[in-house]
Amino acid sequence: MTVTIFHNPNCGTSRNVLQMIRDAGHEPEVIQYVDTGWTVEGLTALLSAAGLTPREAMRTRGDLAGELGLLEPGVSDDAILEAMIAHPVLVERPLVRTDKGVVLARPKEKVLEIL
């Protein structure tokens, strides 16, 4: 099975999920998306496969989302997606893709659904 984790090594949950994947016997492709960034097409496809809107996948912890005005109720998904492309750290982590689907592994045990 192919496993890909969109990983932020500075995030404890992301590190824990990576270890859970390895403990389950898989060596995943690790994409450090904060460094590599996102494309509109790639992020849109990933979120769609996970059944998430950009708002649902937006990281609201920290100050950035608020500073950019993204927490206001009238902000469109397109505006949030644009901000995620400009600031990759705004995407909640970790997202994990396998042959069985895509999940936002929060809580971390959600990754078990697709392993």
Side-chain angles (χ1 to χ4, degrees), residues 30-106:
V30 177
I31 298 176
Q32 293 188 23
Y33 67 90
V34 174
D35 296 333
T36 62
W38 300 102
T39 64
V40 172
E41 298 81 14
L43 183 56
T44 300
L46 193 65
L47 296 182
S48 178
L52 297 170
T53 66
R55 183 174 293 278
E56 292 168 331
M58 178 174 56
R59 183 167 177 79
T60 57
R61 273 187 264 176
D63 298 330
L64 186 56
E67 288 171 1
L68 295 174
L70 300 174
L71 302 177
E72 301 302 318
V75 177
S76 71
D77 281 347
D78 286 341
I80 293 171
L81 189 64
E82 240 180 74
M84 289 172 157
I85 300 303
H87 306 279
V89 73
L90 283 172
V91 177
E92 189 61 271
R93 66 262 186 171
L95 286 160
V96 180
R97 178 178 58 213
T98 73
D99 301 340
K100 296 180 180 181
V102 177
V103 297
L104 174 57
R106 285 191 173 262

